[in-house]
Amino acid sequence: MARANEAVAALLQEYADLMSITGGDAFKVRVYEKAARSVDTHPADVGTLDVKGLQQVPNVGKSIAEKIVEYLAHGRIAAMDTLRAKIPPGVRELTAVPGLGPKKAMALYEELGIANVDELEEAIGEGRLAGLRGFGAKTVENLRHGIELSRSSGGRSLIHDAMMIAEEAVGLVGAVTGCLRCCHAGSLRRLRETIGDIDILAAAVEPGPLMAAFAGWDRVREVIVRGEKKTSVRLVDGPQVDLRVVPPESWGAALQYFTGSKEHNVRIREIAVRKGLRLSEYGLFRVDDDSLIVSETEEEVYERLGLAWVPPTLREDRGEVDAARAGELPELIGVEDIRGDLHTHTNLTDGVSTLEEMVAAARARGLRYYAVTDHAKDLPMQRMTDAKMLAQRDRLRGLPAGRPTLLHGTELNIDPDGGVDWDADFLAGFDVCVASVHSHFNQSPDELTRRLVRACENPYVNIIGHPTTRQIGRRAPIEPDWDAVFAAAARTGTAMEINSHPDRLDLPDHLILRAKRHGVRFAVDTDAHAATHLAHLRYGVGLAQRGWLTADDVINTWSLTKLRAFVRAKR
DNA sequence: GCCGTTTTCGGCCCGACTGTTTTCAGTCG
């Protein structure tokens, strides 16, 4: 059974949105938003909790707890129905148009009866917004443009695409005379799986030349805002990039501020307020006399608030603030902890680089061990045979000894019943086996659960590859009973993969957190199909960090001896 | 509506930019 948390969180968020549109108390709106996020990230299934249990969830008090119970029992909330009756659902969708918030959406509905984006587009076309208070010619043109934008792009960028753009922008702005520091911030620095806007932060005494260079970048399609401290542009290939320039002495406070997340920053500022302080992108100030306390480094800002420095990948208001206050932040895994890659391909199947090229790339990256895991024989497209696999093993064993130590593995295909390509005798010849789902994605949750549990129970399966099979923006994740799958993985000594490929990033962070609670081990792999893909490791490690993992949680940070013992223990 | 190192009531994060209602509301991050 899927947890009720997602549905309840969506409902609370909708309640907050409707309240905001109808002009409800802004503080109340915020509470519902906070409660929605708390429920979404709460470890326990809220569907199993009573009113008292629900009140243990942060930001859920008596009133919201009762609404959740009402929803769980009857599938609806009376107060919600009342609000929904006031506002057609399309009005809420209006606020997704850039430049159109709750106030203007409500005005459009009340004054002109506009109840969805299509009607807004029509009204603009007919000039019916003219004369409406707050809707001058420029606003109307911005709305028309906003509709166009939300229809065309709308989507978020894959992390690797955003990173390439950010690195180019940092190179451009950083090279301007007078630029003292420049780096990317925002969700990209937090290594979220997809990126909306790309944030670039720079330090300079005179921002003008930096802004000019940025606005003149040859990839810019349009300049959205252009000010002294902030310039936003949209690139020809879609994404929006924001440049903020701050005085050099504000660097730490600014980096903290522009890294976000918004929710993390709200928590941090609330702590500041309780201490009689005010935190902005310019520094931490005393409220009474407006004097500056600290601003030069992030560490100082956190420290002055009584917190340990929080790694960017944890800044999502998922408990990291309390952990930082208690000195209980995890020692997060880093790229340098990874000693080997356990899921890679060559041109023997669908990779593009040769065995020798892949091994050379692994050596260049300083890996201690490296597993070649081409596809097994049950995927007909890959034309694998027993003979070809054994020949690859001979070729691999024949390569000169040295680092990395080469392991011969395979990526097995988990069939619809949970079986894999070869029998025990053949499987015993491999050093390590990944097993993954590549088809029959729309089995029922029960079938998928049995399938994955059976794969975990196979003594030769060491790692479940890209467990949800999602492809970001293209294929939805499968939805077995993850708690049952993770329990089986923990019980059998089977690792869950954290696949570093930018369009997979699988497991996603919320499932990593869930799996860890079952005591599951993980393998951060690249699933490289070309030598250049080994560099994607940083995204997988970022994802592992977002799941609060330490090096010890991840089997390919272990020594080869310990890794071999992990494999042997299961056989 | 929630919360508490200013605790059971009185607060609730901060600033940039735009457009328009020309002194500020709305939106965004």
Side-chain angles (χ1 to χ4, degrees), chain A residues 198-211:
Chain A
I198 297 166
D199 295 299
I200 307 296
L201 178 66
V205 179
E206 292 286 340
L210 280 62
M211 295 303 189

Side-chain angles (χ1 to χ4, degrees), chain A residues 495-516:
Chain A
M496 284 287 145
E497 183 173 70
I498 295 174
N499 189 297
S500 307
H501 203 278
D503 61 12
R504 287 197 185 270
L505 296 177
D506 187 7
L507 291 175
D509 55 14
H510 67 279
L511 288 179
I512 297 174
L513 286 161
R514 238 162 115 183
K516 180 167 175 166

Side-chain angles (χ1 to χ4, degrees), chain A residues 1-2 440-453 478-482 484-485:
Chain A
M1 273 297 286
H440 300 84
F441 306 114
N442 22 353
Q443 285 181 315
S444 72
D446 282 350
E447 288 169 324
L448 287 165
T449 305
R450 276 196 298 276
R451 184 180 181 185
L452 285 168
V453 167
I478 57 171
E479 292 186 358
D481 177 347
W482 285 115
V485 173

Side-chain angles (χ1 to χ4, degrees), chain A residues 339 368-369 555-565:
Chain A
R339 299 200 202 189
R368 313 268 193 94
Y369 49 86
I555 63 173
N556 52 317
T557 68
W558 297 352
S559 70
L560 186 54
T561 308
K562 187 172 173 186
L563 178 69
R564 285 194 194 278

Side-chain angles (χ1 to χ4, degrees), chain A residues 18-41:
Chain A
L18 294 180
M19 212 166 7
S20 163
I21 292 168
T22 53
D25 176 19
F27 295 116
K28 213 162 129 179
V29 172
R30 264 195 64 200
V31 168
Y32 274 88
E33 285 175 341
K34 282 159 75 171
R37 292 178 359 82
S38 296
V39 166
D40 198 33
T41 57

Side-chain angles (χ1 to χ4, degrees), chain A residues 172-190:
Chain A
L172 176 88
V173 175
V176 175
T177 307
C179 179
L180 302 171
R181 308 187 74 156
C182 186
C183 74
H184 66 267
S187 54
L188 189 58
R189 183 165 180 242
R190 305 199 310 278

Side-chain angles (χ1 to χ4, degrees), chain A residues 1-65:
Chain A
M1 273 297 286
R3 302 190 320 158
N5 298 38
E6 287 76 14
V8 170
L11 202 73
L12 293 174
Q13 182 62 52
E14 184 187 345
Y15 195 80
D17 290 345
L18 294 180
M19 212 166 7
S20 163
I21 292 168
T22 53
D25 176 19
F27 295 116
K28 213 162 129 179
V29 172
R30 264 195 64 200
V31 168
Y32 274 88
E33 285 175 341
K34 282 159 75 171
R37 292 178 359 82
S38 296
V39 166
D40 198 33
T41 57
H42 192 66
D45 182 350
V46 296
T48 65
L49 301 177
D50 58 11
V51 170
K52 205 166 171 192
L54 284 166
Q55 285 184 254
Q56 301 306 308
V57 179
N59 303 305
V60 174
K62 187 159 176 290
S63 171
I64 293 181

Side-chain angles (χ1 to χ4, degrees), chain A residues 13-26 29 33 83-84 86-96 100-110 114-115:
Chain A
Q13 182 62 52
E14 184 187 345
Y15 195 80
D17 290 345
L18 294 180
M19 212 166 7
S20 163
I21 292 168
T22 53
D25 176 19
V29 172
E33 285 175 341
L83 265 183
R84 278 178 174 163
K86 277 196 219 169
I87 297 292
V91 177
R92 185 173 171 229
E93 288 159 25
L94 282 179
T95 62
L100 187 49
K103 294 288 186 295
K104 281 192 158 66
M106 190 59 180
L108 288 170
Y109 176 61
E110 285 194 316
I114 292 170

